[in-house]
């Protein structure tokens, strides 16, 4: 038998696993067992390892508000008693008493019905409704007359109920035991010897009721027989059984039914009074009986869920105490008066935002303790959330996700569960569950801007704030905490960290060193924003730093050499007319823009009316024709200013010798200022000699090139003259549209304007080796004079020649 049951359980269990049906377990136990008594072993009966029960959160779920009488010991898998079970309280007079509850297992949700049969023990003694039964019997009663005595009642059932009666030995009565159709036993007194009121007016008998339990229990009543003088009829009920139906929750004083008995006697003897002869405590609280009319009224709260049928016996008694009784059965009909009850059995809270759609996050149970249609329940949640309720087994529902979750969009959901029963009108109930979404580091920091530009003036202080970057990460706490850092890299051979630093928290970028515009004008670094998640996510952004120019470079005069360093002398032909180009001041500025826009001014000259300087080109021209009266030696002090704020300037002196022939210069040493030393004078002589020599070479070159022109069209000639790059400062700013020199290392400068054929040109790649080696300079001054004298050179050519020669003299 045990085997078969177990087999069935296992079979049902397998069915459950496959088809989501649930298996039954049934146990049997005596009432009034001590707490912790073992009822059976659930783990064994379900075929589980004991450990599975706690992993799957096995628990007992009672229906409705019922108390929980059993529990599971997760350690041993035993089903144990957790509260005193009184069969009489649970089931009253029902012959069989079964407690039903559910065993719930999670993941996957699994449900088993457990039924527990409660066996009766003989814990109640029989008892009579009253302690004394009054019986009035006429002295004329015949031998053999029967008098029914109210039955004793025992709350136990079956063998433990009332089984027999014994009557104390006496002179007049015998006891006969009768059984009703419902199986209840009662006693009848049978008159064995006629009564004689004159002999004995009052007889007391002791009646004992016995149950069949072991040990046997008993109850007694005293029957007080009063011997009467007259004779009459007992009242008779119109029906043997009265049945009535009453909706639950009927208001007080509602009429339920009327019982009625008639007595054949007349007058006082025919007056009938009604009373409950046997009624349970529960029924007594609910119903009242009008003694006179036999009407039964509602006297308490009638609740279908508390009890659906009530049985009671009503006695009708006439004035002489003759009585009969009838049974009244009241059945209660259900009204939809209970809303469904929603209980949340389990909930994963918070739910990580990266769970896949379809994940079960909770289990919900809905109960309605009404019956039939009234207990059928529909359950759903609102539409606009990414969750849904999937009906599971019986009254259970799984709450599952239907879509991807994103904590950054919605950090929690209020899910309202609605349950509606099918009664009319239907009753509903709501429960709101807040499901929080837990963060997962799924967003990298995002910079506010695509790229950042920072402008800084050169010569800035180290620690100067350049700009700040900002990135946002919508994740939670450390997953959204942004830390900034500089991506490692190399700039001009040095690590980027030696240029800039980034504040990890604020994103403020500061310079680490002072920048020099003339060294570099812009650079780019990468700044990374990383969150603090694990693993961290990051993104990067370029930060371009532009260094702006400051007027920190004074103009640098290339030609002539700045004042005080050397002398330079220009020959001005006597025949020079007004407007002739005499010389040119060449200057550069390491800055750029306005800061490198140079202007030239004569600030002092021997004869202020004779020469003028072009403001922007630096060309020195005669203002008028040279006349014989002009001083041969002219001295000009030129200032070169840039256009910066404040502007910086440099000055240089230029010596001009009005002469057609060096030989005409009588006192060369006078050319020097008063403080010039004799050493300087000798330098000047050497210079003049070199000038002559170079000029001679120049003439030769011109002549030579006239012949070679067609063969070497791209040589220096065509009027172009190269000046070695070594004259130029190492770096020049690239300046657009300011009229000054262009290109950092490579620029062309027109030294003369206005001359048709003989423009000078600086050529970048030029160096001294470019001069053909065979064109060695002749150092003989006479040669120079010869060449110079013989050739009919135009004044302009002469100037050109000198302008090439003199730098060589000065710088070598
Ligand atoms: C959820 O309910 C709480 C309070 O009950 C409220 O503060 C919150 O704003 C609600 N959230 C949403 C998304 O409706
Ligand atoms: C951050 O994200 C990780 C997963 O990427 C998660 O485990 C952690 O709980 C999150 N931290 C917070 C504070 O939410
Ligand atoms: C910077 O980010 C871009 C994409 O945003 C990525 O392609 C590049 O590899 C990153 N650079 C570094 C140095 O991490």
């Amino acid at each position: 038998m045990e085997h078969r049951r177990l087999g069935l359980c296992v079979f049902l269990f397998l069915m459950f696993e496959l088809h989501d049906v649930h298996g039954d377990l049934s146990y049997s136990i005596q009432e009034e067992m001590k707490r912790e008594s073992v009822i059976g072993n659930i783990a064994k009966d379900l075929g589980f390892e004991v450990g599975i029960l706690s992993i799957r959160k096995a628990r007992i779920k009672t229906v409705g508000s019922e108390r929980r009488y059993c529990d599971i010991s997760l350690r041993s898998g035993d089903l144990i008693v957790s509260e005193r079970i009184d069969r009489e309280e649970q089931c009253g007079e029902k012959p069989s008493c079964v407690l039903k509850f559910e065993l719930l297992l999670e993941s996957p949700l699994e449900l088993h019905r457990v039924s527990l049969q409660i066996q009766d023990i003989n814990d109640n003694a029989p008892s009579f409704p009253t302690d004394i039964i009054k019986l009035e019997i006429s002295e004329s009663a015949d031998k053999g007359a029967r008098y029914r005595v109210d039955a004793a009642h025992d709350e136990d059932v079956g063998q433990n109920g009332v089984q027999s009666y014994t009557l104390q030995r006496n002179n007049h009565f015998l006891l006969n035991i009768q059984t009703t159709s419902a199986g209840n036993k009662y006693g009848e007194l049978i008159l064995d010897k006629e009564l004689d009121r004159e002999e004995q007016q009052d007889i007391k008998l002791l009646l004992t009721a016995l149950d069949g339990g072991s040990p046997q229990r008993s109850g007694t009543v005293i029957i007080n027989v009063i011997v009467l003088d007259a004779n009459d009829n007992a009242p008779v009920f119109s029906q043997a059984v009265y049945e009535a139906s009453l909706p639950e929750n009927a208001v007080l004083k509602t009429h339920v039914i009327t019982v009625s008995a008639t007595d054949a006697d007349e007058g006082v003897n025919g007056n009938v009074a009604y009373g409950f002869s046997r009624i349970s405590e529960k029924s007594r609280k609910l119903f009242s009986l009008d003694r006179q009319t036999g009407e039964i009224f509602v006297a308490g709260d009638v609740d279908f869920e508390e009890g659906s049928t009530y049985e009671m016996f009503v006695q009708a008694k006439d004035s002489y105490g003759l009585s009969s009784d009838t049974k009244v059965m009241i059945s209660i009909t259900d009204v939809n008066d209970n809303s469904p009850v929603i209980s949340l059995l389990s909930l994963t809270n918070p739910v990580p935002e990266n769970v896949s759609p379809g994940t079960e996050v909770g289990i919900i149970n809905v109960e309605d303790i009404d019956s039939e249609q009234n207990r059928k329940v529909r359950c759903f949640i609102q539409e606009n959330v990414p969750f849904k309720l999937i009906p599971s087994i019986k009254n259970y529902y799984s709450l599952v996700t239907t879509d991807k979750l994103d904590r950054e969009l919605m950090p929690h959901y209020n899910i309202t569960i609605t349950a509606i029963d099918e009664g009319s009108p239907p009753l509903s109930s709501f429960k709101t569950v807040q499901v929080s979404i837990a963060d997962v580091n799924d967003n990298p920091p995002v910079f506010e801007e695509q790229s950042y530009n920072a402008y800084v003036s050169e010569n800035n202080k180290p620690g100067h704030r350049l700009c700040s970057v900002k990135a946002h990460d919508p994740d939670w706490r450390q997953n959204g905490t942004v830390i900034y850092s500089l991506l490692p890299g190399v700039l001009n051979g040095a690590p980027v960290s030696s240029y800039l630093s980034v504040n990890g928290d604020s994103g403020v970028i500061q310079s680490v060193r002072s920048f020099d515009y003339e060294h570099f004008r812009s650079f780019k670094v990468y700044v990374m924003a990383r969150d603090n998640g694990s693993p961290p996510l990051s993104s990067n952004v370029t930060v371009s730093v532009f260094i702006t120019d400051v007027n920190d470079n004074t103009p640098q005069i290339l030609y002539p050499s700045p004042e005080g360093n050397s002398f330079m002398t220009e020959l001005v032909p006597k025949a020079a007319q007004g407007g002739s180009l005499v010389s040119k001041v060449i200057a550069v500025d390491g800055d750029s823009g306005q800061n490198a826009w140079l202007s030239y001014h004569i600030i002092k000259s021997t004869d202020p009316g004779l020469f003028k300087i072009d403001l922007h080109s630096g060309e020195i021209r005669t203002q008028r024709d040279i006349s014989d009266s002009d001083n041969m030696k002219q001295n000009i002090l030129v200032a070169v200013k840039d256009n910066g704020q404040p502007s910086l300037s440099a000055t240089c002196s230029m010596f001009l010798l009005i002469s057609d022939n060096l030989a005409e210069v009588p006192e060369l040493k006078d050319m020097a200022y008063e403080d010039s030393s004799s050493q300087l004078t000798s330098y000047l002589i050497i210079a003049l000699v070199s000038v002559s020599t170079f000029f001679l070479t120049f003439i030769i070159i011109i002549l030579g090139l006239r012949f070679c022109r067609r063969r070497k069209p791209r040589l220096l000639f065509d009027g172009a003259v190269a000046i070695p790059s070594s004259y130029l400062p190492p770096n020049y700013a690239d300046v657009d549209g300011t009229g000054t020199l262009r290109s950092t290392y490579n620029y062309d400068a027109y030294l003369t304007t206005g001359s048709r054929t003989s423009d000078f040109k600086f050529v970048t790649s030029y160096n001294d080796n470019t001069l053909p080696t065979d064109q060695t300079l002749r150092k003989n001054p006479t040669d120079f004079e010869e060449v110079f004298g013989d050739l009919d050179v135009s004044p302009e050519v002469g100037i050109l020649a000198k302008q090439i020669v003199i730098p060589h003299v000065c710088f070598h």
Side-chain angles (χ1 to χ4, degrees), residues 556-562 566-571 582-588 600 613 617-618 620 638 640 652-656 723 727-728 751 762 799-811:
Q556 197 173 348
I557 298 169
L558 302 180
Y559 176 80
S561 182
S566 68
F567 300 93
M568 305 211 181
T569 304
E570 300 282 351
L571 278 183
V582 170
S583 182
K584 177 176 167 83
V585 176
I586 303 169
V588 289
Y600 301 83
I613 189 158
S617 69
I620 299 172
V638 173
V640 182
C652 65
S653 294
M654 190 161 262
F655 304 106
L656 301 168
I723 286 184
Y727 292 133
L728 303 173
L751 298 183
F762 284 102
I799 292 159
L800 298 182
K802 279 174 280 169
Q803 281 179 337
I804 295 162
V805 170
I806 289 161
H808 276 266
V809 173
C810 298
F811 288 86

Side-chain angles (χ1 to χ4, degrees), residues 170-338:
N170 65 86
N171 294 330
H172 295 280
F173 294 99
L174 293 175
L175 184 69
N176 181 38
I177 297 169
Q178 292 281 6
T179 306
T180 64
S181 55
N184 292 324
K185 292 199 163 64
Y186 65 91
E188 273 178 342
L189 293 182
I190 300 173
L191 193 60
D192 190 40
K193 181 181 173 233
E194 275 98 358
L195 298 166
D196 182 359
R197 197 185 73 86
E198 285 67 38
E199 186 189 317
Q200 193 175 14
Q201 200 179 354
D202 193 354
I203 306 169
K204 289 207 165 62
L205 303 168
L206 186 67
L207 180 66
T208 306
L210 294 167
D211 66 24
S214 146
Q216 196 175 46
R217 290 170 185 263
S218 63
T220 56
V221 68
I222 292 169
I223 303 171
N224 189 5
V225 179
I226 297 164
V227 185
L228 295 176
D229 239 354
N231 194 5
D232 52 6
N233 296 297
V236 178
F237 278 101
S238 59
Q239 282 172 250
V241 175
Y242 291 88
E243 284 180 58
S245 167
L246 179 71
E248 63 172 325
N249 303 335
V251 294
L252 290 181
K253 304 246 167 76
T254 304
H255 177 258
V256 182
I257 196 168
T258 304
V259 294
S260 130
T262 49
D263 193 300
D265 293 327
E266 293 201 351
V268 178
N269 290 346
N271 280 351
V272 178
Y274 302 93
F276 288 121
S277 63
R278 212 176 96 208
I279 183 165
S280 66
E281 273 308 302
K282 209 164 159 186
S283 309
R284 195 183 288 280
K285 285 182 191 148
L286 295 180
F287 303 103
S288 64
L289 176 65
D290 188 310
R291 292 187 60 79
Q292 302 303 320
T293 61
E295 287 170 309
I296 295 177
F297 296 104
V298 173
D301 259 347
V302 185
D303 186 356
F304 175 85
E305 286 72 38
E306 291 287 314
S308 59
T309 58
Y310 294 90
E311 257 183 42
M312 59 207 77
F313 292 88
V314 176
Q315 192 176 54
K317 219 182 214 178
D318 63 20
S319 313
Y320 286 112
L322 290 183
S323 68
S324 61
D325 52 14
T326 186
K327 186 173 175 181
V328 178
M329 287 176 70
I330 302 171
S331 56
I332 310 296
T333 53
D334 187 40
V335 166
N336 191 23
D337 61 342
N338 290 285

Side-chain angles (χ1 to χ4, degrees), residues 410 412 414 434:
M410 203 60 163
H412 69 264
N414 291 339
Q434 193 176 75

Side-chain angles (χ1 to χ4, degrees), residues 684-695:
L684 198 63
I685 295 167
I686 295 167
L688 285 171
V689 170
S690 306
V691 165
S692 319
T693 318
F694 194 80
F695 185 69

